[in-house]
Structure formats: structure tokens, C-alpha cells
Amino acid sequence: MLPPSYWLAGLITILIVIVCVLVHYEGLRLLSDRLPTPRLHQRQRVILLILSLLFLHIVEIWIFGLAYYGLLTLGNFGELQGVSGNLLYDCVYFSASAYTTIGFGDIYPVGALRTMTGAEGITGLTIITWSASYTFVEMLKTWDSNE
């Protein structure tokens, strides 16, 4: 049987995934409703869209990073091996590595944190793909073949 810390890490992971999906959904909804349509150049709209999506992804990486930081601060959830000194920075850096599925390997989880890391990888992959699909649809709407 798994220790309680693994179950709690799993529950927290589910909540963090839900929060990130909701943040992304609401962000895309706001972009759809409020993204200005420039009169002169449609490129401005696409550039603003890409910058907004990057901002959303950074927010989601920070949400996971803060969750790692919180679990590490509470204790009994494992640890991050290879941490260099600034725990919050290392948690966010590790989160970016997991979210983008780069996985450099210089920092890696031990213990119950592995649950969150695996879920963050699939969440990041899914949300990044969602952003790419959304961008494609927006580009189809806004790009003029003569421009």
C-alpha cells in the first residue's frame, strides 16, 4: 500500500491539473472575446495572440512550480535532487522542464513528487497542443492571402 503522502500528492496533482486547464480555457476564451482586430495589419493580432499564449503557459508553469515548492516546504513528499540553492527558482525551472517535456535531467524528483511530474508532462503536452490548434484556427480567420 502506498504511503499517505503519495495519495495526497496525487490529489494535489489532480487539483493543480484542473486549475491549469481552467486557467488555459478561460485565457483562450478571453482572447477569443477581447483580442483586438487591427485595421491595418493582421500580423499584429497573431503576434499579440502568441505573446498572450506564452504568458498563459508561463502562468501554468508557475502554478506547478509553486505546487512543487509547497510540497517540498511541507516535507514528506520527497525531494528534488540536483537543486542548486534557490528552491523556488529551481522548482519553477524544474516545472518548465517537465511542462515542456524537455526533461534535462539536472534536477529530478524522488518520492511522491514523481506523481506530479508525470502529470505535468502530459498536461503541458496537451495544453501546448491546444494552444497550437487554437493559433492555427485564429490564423485561418485573420490572415489574408494578399498580405
Side-chain angles (χ1 to χ4, degrees):
M1 176 124 177
L2 288 174
S5 62
Y6 280 78
W7 291 103
L8 187 54
L11 179 63
I12 292 169
T13 298
I14 290 169
L15 294 174
I16 296 300
V17 168
I18 291 170
V19 166
C20 285
V21 168
L22 290 174
V23 163
H24 205 75
Y25 175 82
E26 291 301 325
L28 292 179
R29 194 178 62 76
L30 281 171
L31 281 172
S32 293
D33 293 345
R34 304 222 171 135
L35 195 62
T37 305
R39 295 178 187 194
L40 297 178
H41 298 288
Q42 295 298 336
R43 290 184 191 116
Q44 295 169 352
R45 179 180 167 88
V46 174
I47 290 169
L48 186 57
L49 169 67
I50 296 299
L51 292 173
S52 299
L53 289 173
L54 286 172
F55 176 76
L56 275 175
H57 290 291
I58 290 168
V59 167
E60 293 151 10
I61 287 167
W62 270 88
I63 290 170
F64 271 103
L66 290 170
Y68 288 120
Y69 182 77
L71 290 177
L72 288 170
T73 303
L74 290 173
N76 294 329
F77 291 99
E79 59 185 65
L80 290 178
Q81 295 287 321
V83 172
S84 66
N86 185 330
L87 185 59
L88 178 59
Y89 174 80
D90 285 336
C91 286
V92 173
Y93 165 78
F94 175 71
S95 176
S97 179
Y99 185 91
T100 58
T101 66
I102 292 173
F104 290 120
D106 55 340
I107 297 176
Y108 59 93
V110 176
L113 287 178
R114 292 180 297 170
T115 304
M116 187 176 296
T117 303
E120 183 178 10
I122 193 69
T123 302
L125 181 64
T126 303
I127 290 177
I128 290 169
T129 305
W130 186 5
S131 292
S133 300
Y134 181 82
T135 301
F136 178 75
V137 169
E138 284 299 315
M139 287 171 57
L140 285 177
K141 288 183 206 175
T142 61
W143 278 13
D144 182 57
S145 60
N146 295 328
E147 192 172 340

